[in-house]
Amino acid sequence: MAKTKVLLSGNEAIAQGAIQAGCTFYAGYPITPQNELIAYMAKYLPASGAVKGQAARVFIQAESELAAINMVYGASAAGARAMTSSSSPGISLKQEGISYLAGSQLPAVIVNIMRGGPGLGNIAPAQSDYFQATRGGGHGDYHVIVLAPASAQEAYDLTQSGFDLADKYRTPVMILGDGVLGQMMEPVKLSSRKIKTPPVKSWALCGCAGRKPNIAKSFFLREGALEEFNLKLQKNYQIIQQKEQRFEGLFLSDAKVILVAYGTMARIAKSAISQLRNAGKQVGLIRPISLWPFPERAFQIKNNRVKYLVLELSYGQMLQDVRLAVNGRQQVEFLGRSGGGILSQEQIIDKVKKIL
Amino acid sequence: MEKIFKRGESLYDVATHYCPGCGHGIAHRLVAEAVDSLGIREKTIGVAPVGCAVVAYDYWNFDCSEAAHGRALAVATGIKRVHPEKVVFTYQGDGDLAAIGTNETIHAANRGENLSVVFINNAVYGMTGGQLAPTTLLGQKTATSIEGRTKKAHGYPLKISEMLALLPGVCYIERVSLENPQEVLKAKRAIKQAFENQINNLGFSLVEVLSPCPTYWGLSPKESLDWIKLVMRKEFPLGRIK
């Protein structure tokens, strides 16, 4: 692409980020509000430049969300950088496959452009899949790395990081956005670097010429074997928690009230903060970028009189992680809407004024 | 003395976990022999099911993947699209392929994925304790059809091979049996054919193997082989379907 800055929706920015990251396999199923992503992949992925060491880039519209995630399982086991995307009800269906990916230590990027729930819910933006995303989501003792972009640019960048993290830690990575992020168009500065070459994967299934067979599996029947494996996963998770916490902090040195918000909600929070700052109110922001690992480090603020105000497009999900991170040292307040309602700047400002 | 018959390289020299008289051991061997006779061991990738054959990769000496219950053909699709030059096959039971995985089966076949499928039909869920399978015969007693399968309560035995034969993406379907050595040899030829079709890029091939399950049929191994011949084959006739 000749132009370095283009106008993309969040969905398209994620897709373009994946292409840049050397993703060679995408399988998906249509669902609103992430349809631009699958359409972009259909149009551009097979035609994008070759990735070194990999066969052609493949796009498949799967017959179901289950099939899509299991195709990703196969492609990942075969050594490809593989991705699927969906929205909330579709992600629920994919949880089986995500658990198997985690249990087989297979890297993959899974995109959830959240909509309202539970059930079929609606197609309005929401953040109500936070628990599902950050607690593993499927059965078993596992986590996936969860990255939450707040702009099309960040969606493009984090998708690329997502592939790197997935390969580095051999784990599924989720890009968690909401319907606003997915649909909103913004300028995105594209990377001028060459398309990434994924790392060589000695564990991949590619035929056993010159070596013992490789097996992709999550099944450990022998007594003690699963516990041993789960401890290995836990060790990996501890390293991820130490090394991969990401957040953006704003006005943290003098803030009396710190807003805590991610994704689109953080954009609205920033607008509220600039208005409050103009009125002389000492308000700051912690914007978690990695939701798992949760950036507990951001909450190591010594002033015990600081108050946190957690803002969500859900009813107190991230709130629990903030409380765990704060661990009773400071007051934690909450304001949230869900089911398609979006907190306004004014609602935030009113709440801040009450607790300041 | 010259050794004229031996275990092929694709089959490990280990005891299997299967019950006495089970057909899986034979079917595993037929797959291994097909792979060895085509000289493709180092480019073969198998996909094991969930069911009695869940650890098939403990017996085969080539790359293998697990698949969640019913998802083998989705997993195989992912592998084959990434490595079109490798030989990728699934090995699935009737519950896996024709109940929980029906959707994946039909759509992989309909896309004409260049894959080979070994479909073990023993008319029962073995691993979980002998419950009603999609292929359980009318009147057949199982743990979940205690008085025998009835059309009113359970519907009919599902002839998924005949259904798949309707799809233009499917190039080859044959039903074989493990009831006696003669039929085993035919089964071996059919499985080899399914691999050859893939090597020749002909599309989706499936071999349905009628396979004994003495444990959950409540029969001796010998009676089980007779039951395939006298009872099961009436519902599932042998031969080339497509």
Side-chain angles (χ1 to χ4, degrees), chain A residues 124-138:
Chain A
Q127 295 182 322
S128 36
D129 302 346
Y130 181 94
F131 280 154
Q132 189 196 46
T134 58
R135 268 61 181 165

Side-chain angles (χ1 to χ4, degrees), chain A residues 10 14 34 36 46 51 71-72 76 108 122 125 130-132 147 223 229 232 238-239 254 280 283 290 323 348 351:
Chain A
I14 291 169
Q34 65 82 55
E36 295 78 12
V51 177
M71 287 174 187
V72 164
S76 171
N122 62 18
Y130 181 94
F131 280 154
Q132 189 196 46
L147 304 176
E223 196 185 335
F229 174 76
K232 190 174 145 190
Q238 281 168 13
I239 297 168
D254 75 337
V283 183
S290 62
R323 282 188 175 145
I348 298 168
K351 180 79 178 179

Side-chain angles (χ1 to χ4, degrees), chain A residues 10-333:
Chain A
N11 282 326
E12 293 166 331
I14 291 169
Q16 187 58 44
I19 290 169
Q20 174 66 28
C23 170
T24 52
F25 187 93
Y26 173 93
Y29 186 87
I31 180 170
T32 307
Q34 65 82 55
N35 292 313
E36 295 78 12
L37 208 168
I38 180 170
Y40 194 95
M41 282 305 220
K43 191 172 179 184
Y44 294 108
L45 182 70
S48 296
V51 177
K52 205 178 156 195
Q54 301 280 318
R57 301 220 209 198
V58 177
F59 168 88
I60 302 183
Q61 179 172 331
E63 64 270 27
S64 69
E65 301 283 6
L66 280 171
I69 190 73
N70 284 289
M71 287 174 187
V72 164
Y73 182 102
S76 171
R81 282 197 154 176
M83 181 167 102
T84 185
S85 63
S86 189
S87 178
S88 309
I91 295 294
S92 293
L93 287 165
K94 286 190 201 294
Q95 291 301 340
E96 172 195 80
I98 298 172
S99 169
Y100 275 73
L101 284 163
S104 304
Q105 290 192 286
L106 290 176
V109 172
I110 298 128
V111 181
N112 180 5
I113 302 299
M114 291 179 281
R115 57 189 255 181
L120 200 50
N122 62 18
I123 56 168
Q127 295 182 322
S128 36
D129 302 346
Y130 181 94
F131 280 154
Q132 189 196 46
T134 58
R135 268 61 181 165
H139 63 283
D141 235 330
Y142 76 95
H143 283 285
V144 302
I145 294 175
V146 184
L147 304 176
S151 67
Q153 181 69 56
E154 201 178 25
Y156 175 76
D157 296 335
L158 284 183
T159 302
Q160 295 177 63
S161 308
F163 278 99
D164 291 340
L165 290 170
D167 280 339
K168 183 174 179 186
Y169 295 104
R170 289 187 61 182
T171 176
V173 171
M174 182 172 280
I175 305 295
L176 192 69
D178 58 72
V180 174
L181 177 93
Q183 304 279 317
M184 188 169 57
M185 293 188 92
E186 293 183 291
V188 177
K189 190 169 182 291
L190 299 178
S191 169
S192 56
R193 289 182 304 167
K194 275 190 192 161
I195 284 166
K196 282 188 189 172
T197 304
V200 175
K201 298 166 181 178
S202 61
W203 46 263
L205 309 180
C206 52
C208 62
R211 60 162 167 78
K212 284 188 174 169
N214 284 337
I215 310 292
K217 67 171 184 118
S218 64
F219 192 47
F220 301 89
L221 207 51
R222 180 177 56 76
E223 196 185 335
L226 181 59
E227 186 174 21
E228 203 178 292
F229 174 76
N230 280 345
L231 287 170
K232 190 174 145 190
L233 281 186
Q234 291 303 316
K235 208 172 165 192
N236 197 30
Y237 296 146
Q238 281 168 13
I239 297 168
I240 294 169
Q241 281 177 308
Q242 281 162 18
K243 293 192 172 171
E244 306 299 343
Q245 293 185 24
R246 298 181 186 202
F247 67 96
E248 178 191 1
L250 215 57
F251 305 117
L252 294 182
S253 52
D254 75 337
K256 289 180 176 166
V257 171
I258 297 173
L259 308 184
V260 187
Y262 71 96
T264 294
M265 195 60 248
R267 300 275 291 263
I268 303 168
K270 277 185 184 175
S271 303
I273 288 168
S274 63
Q275 223 172 308
L276 285 160
R277 283 261 156 193
N278 285 342
K281 312 284 184 194
Q282 287 167 283
V283 183
L285 174 76
I286 292 174
R287 177 173 74 88
I289 296 171
S290 62
L291 300 183
W292 197 91
F294 191 71
E296 294 183 349
R297 223 164 271 154
F299 297 84
Q300 305 304 313
I301 288 165
K302 295 217 171 74
N303 181 355
N304 282 344
R305 278 171 301 178
V306 159
K307 292 173 184 170
Y308 295 99
L309 172 58
V310 181
L311 306 167
E312 300 175 22
L313 300 180
S314 50
Y315 289 131
Q317 298 194 21
M318 183 172 69
L319 172 65
Q320 294 197 0
D321 280 336
V322 175
R323 282 188 175 145
L324 285 169
V326 171
N327 201 17
R329 289 187 301 272
Q330 290 117 335
Q331 192 179 326
V332 179
E333 296 282 335

Side-chain angles (χ1 to χ4, degrees), chain A residues 55 58 60 63 66-67 70-71 73-75 78 80 96 100 205-209 211 213-219, chain B residues 12 41-42 45 54-55 57 61-66 68 71 74-75 77-79 81-83 86 103-104 107 111:
Chain A
V58 177
I60 302 183
E63 64 270 27
L66 280 171
N70 284 289
M71 287 174 187
Y73 182 102
E96 172 195 80
Y100 275 73
L205 309 180
C206 52
C208 62
R211 60 162 167 78
N214 284 337
I215 310 292
K217 67 171 184 118
S218 64
F219 192 47
Chain B
Y12 288 125
R41 189 184 73 88
E42 293 187 336
I45 302 168
V54 63
V55 294
Y57 44 72
N61 181 17
F62 43 72
D63 279 8
C64 281
S65 179
E66 158 187 291
R71 318 290 170 234
V75 171
T77 296
I79 296 170
R81 294 289 191 106
V82 171
H83 295 307
K86 307 292 180 203
N103 202 29
E104 286 78 3
H107 286 278
R111 286 191 304 269

Side-chain angles (χ1 to χ4, degrees), chain B residues 18-37:
Chain B
Y18 297 116
C19 304
C22 172
H24 275 304
I26 300 170
H28 283 13
R29 181 169 191 130
L30 297 183
V31 168
E33 286 178 350
V35 168
D36 286 334
S37 68

